[in-house]
Amino acid sequence: MFITRMHLSRRTFLRGVGAAVALPMLDAMVPAASAFANTAAAAPRRAGFIYMPHGADMSAWTPAGSGGAFAISPTLQPLAAFKDSLVVVSNLTRAGGVTEMHAAASSGWLSGAIPKRTEGVDYRIGTTIDQVIAKQIGQASPFPSLEFATEDFTGYVGGCTPNYSCAYLNTISWATPTAPLPMEINPRTAFERLFGDGGSEAERRRLQQEDASILDSIVGEARSLQSRLGVRDRARVDDYLSNVREIERRIQQTETQHRTELAIVDKPLGVPEKFDDHTGLLFDLLAMSFQTDLTRVFTFMLSRESSQRTFADIGVPDPLHVVSHHGDQAEKVARATRVTVYCLQMFAKFLDKLRATPDGDGSLFDSSLIFYGSGMANSNVHATDPLPLVAVGGAVGRGNRHLVLPQRTQIGNLWLSVANQFGSPLETFGESTGRIDFF
């Protein structure tokens, strides 16, 4: 038997001046005459964690019914198209039960732990589940994990919640109990981190000023590669490079809108003013990072606890923190819920992107487990339970479920089960009291 098909490494990059563009999964990356599932090119498992601050109106969030016989709730309607791969988890609580702390909400969500009471630099919480998973599945990727957010936290130091350090609010990801990971908010910086390759700052700035693309420098190599690929692989590479260029174009468009400010700084900000533009860019970068296996784990903080962000585009002009203290007044609760649904709609677009992106013999969605939720329940009273949380993706195990746990089940119980599923031998996690039958 003669095998003539070319074989590409899963780690193939197209290199140019200031660029190193990874490729998506291609047929040519599967060794000829081998069973796909037994090759290194098989789709890896992936995990993501998306945080929304200030909880939710749980009466509108929580589905009616349990098990597989449940109806999608009004708030969760944006996720209806994913119901077959959706698990709604009810009756979780965060550790500590301290109602007044925004700091505990964000820091305790993925750690299942209680933050140390301090406004100094001796903060301590717990290693978060994303970093536990990154140690198991992320080491084969250029970036073991990515941490994104949409609000600039650089000015927040000292105490942001009485008696608690700003570090607890500025990130949801902790590499160790004392090492908070910074969240990247700048799409330009994230783009260059993912696709830049050490080219000079002057060269990158020249390309930006000319509205040129870093992809221009890899055109020759891309054409040479495509001449050796099959029809389906050529189409995948074309689509992928078009997506990269489109993201870069959107970043450039944002920078053009702020040209006056950009002229006086060292590096373009690339941060859109509109929340949906900003969030959409970061979601697209995360999808592309999964597609090229640049990372297999991410965290994304949509907004910060105590956020002063406004949502005038959807008829909510007051700061989000103000809106969250709705006094249980129906009209004000409805405004808060409008923001919750708006964020879920953007999340649904991200899931659509994953589902539409081929990966091996399936899609990115099929190999992903994405959690979306908050470390707060009823925001009006900073309630610690029941926390809003959903999991979605092909890796949820059994989908189409409303998992109703015993009241005040520690969120650490969930993360312990997830850690074990991803190969971690942990016996406890944060303030866990056991495991749950999630998978």
Side-chain angles (χ1 to χ4, degrees), residues 12-36:
T12 299
F13 287 81
L14 300 177
R15 297 188 183 276
V17 178
V21 180
L23 291 174
M25 181 66 194
L26 303 174
D27 292 340
M29 292 172 178
V30 182
S34 64
F36 181 83

Side-chain angles (χ1 to χ4, degrees), residues 23 28 31 47 64 77 86 110 113 132 157 169 171 202 215 221 254 289 327 338 384 402 422 432:
L23 291 174
Q77 279 301 317
L86 176 72
L110 294 183
V132 171
V157 295
L169 285 84
T171 183
L215 296 186
E221 190 170 354
T254 295
S289 298
R338 198 178 307 160
T384 61
H402 179 201
F422 278 87
S432 65

